[in-house]
Amino acid sequence: MGKDKKLAIVTCCLDDWGGSEELWAKSIAILDNQNLKRITIYKNKINQQHPEFVKLKHKNIFFKELIPEFSFLKKGLFKLIDDFNRLGNKIGISTYNWNKPAGRLYHLLKSDQPDLVLISQGINFDGLVYAWQCLKLNIPYIIVSHKAVNFYWPQHSDRSYMKETLIKAEKCLFVSEHNRKLTEEQFGIRLPNSAIVMNPVKTRGPVIPYPLVSDHYRLACIGRLFVIDKGQDILLRVLAQPKWKVRKLSISFIGKGPDKDGLKEMATLLGVENISFEGYNTDLKDIWANHHALILPSRSEGLPLTIIEAMFLGRIVITTNAGGNTELVEDQETGFIAEANEKDLDEAMERAWQKRDSWQSMGAKAALHIAGHIPEFPEKQFANLLNSTLNEQ
């Protein structure tokens, strides 16, 4: 790879830092060794005090915000320019870009002239407006999608340009076969330029000793407290049934998110008391030394790292047929699968409860299974793909 190569990374994550950013972030150290001249990260807002961005700053990575804070005078100037462009669009002398972050990215990329742009999406089309800017500038790009949702489809008015960006990408990468298939179905096209990639895993074992039961089972529900995706409300409705209120079973909600208060109030309304909200916790040893199984009632997923990590550490998984979950968990063998509704989840939990004496042996089987399905260094494979694509430019 020549020293004059420049890589741009557009991250669509709206939080300060998200799981969709782990793959490209961990690949950067490997890319640095390839003598890249410049790596620039573009994001709506960048919290440069966040530990992950501090690490990147120490690697001499450049940051550019797509929704920056401007002075009062600059805001006024940009308002005049925006009004002029709107008028120009109406009378046919210019094109108005309705998406401000995308419009800013267009001008930044035109100035920076990267050799390759990596667009890291959350949902499978939330960054395609950025890919469209690359296409207009004739800059090669790779799209990586971390989630696809059965009930969330692209707007009719966006389908045409989005379809073109997918077809003309150097690569369309997905974290699960489900996400790739659903994307093809949503746009009505096949993607021969697509491939499956894995996200980095925090742990590969060894198996953490199974906690003592003492006639009480503790399940961990790990994930962002955001019911549209993670479906914790489905679980609360199941737990509101009399049989689950009297069984020696408790659920720890581990994570943070905008629906925390709503879930607490819902639990109070339904009289669900065998739960606790533990907050954010990245200490996997601490979590799995005290929990017997993972429960994940998601409505939508990519390929959840929480499932991979739980299986590596010897725990069964009770989850839904969302995203790539069933690509990891085999029903009745390494866990229990339901559809994302109260009836199905209740039935899966009931099957699990009746086999609770087998959770430890099933967890050991889950650890062996996942070890044979997850590459040791996904970030290295991803970096190699970026390197080879850059070499072709």
Side-chain angles (χ1 to χ4, degrees), residues 234-235 237-239 241 243-244 247 318 338-339 341-353:
I234 300 173
L235 178 55
R237 292 188 190 98
V238 173
L239 294 174
Q241 297 179 49
K243 67 178 180 180
W244 294 111
R247 286 173 171 170
I318 305 167
E339 296 300 324
N341 61 66
E342 289 80 11
K343 179 178 180 295
D344 261 43
L345 184 62
D346 173 55
E347 290 175 356
M349 289 174 62
E350 184 64 40
R351 293 198 307 274
W353 183 253

Side-chain angles (χ1 to χ4, degrees), residues 228-265:
I228 289 176
D229 283 346
K230 299 301 182 181
Q232 294 97 340
D233 58 315
I234 300 173
L235 178 55
L236 287 181
R237 292 188 190 98
V238 173
L239 294 174
Q241 297 179 49
K243 67 178 180 180
W244 294 111
K245 289 183 178 181
V246 298
R247 286 173 171 170
K248 294 187 180 299
L249 175 83
S250 62
I251 311 285
S252 302
F253 289 100
I254 299 172
K256 60 182 181 179
D259 291 331
K260 178 181 177 180
D261 290 343
L263 288 166
K264 282 186 170 182
E265 291 168 3

Side-chain angles (χ1 to χ4, degrees), residues 164-178:
E164 188 174 356
T165 62
L166 290 167
I167 292 169
K168 294 184 177 179
E170 297 294 311
K171 281 285 185 183
C172 292
L173 305 175
F174 301 91
V175 297
S176 70
E177 188 59 50
H178 166 275

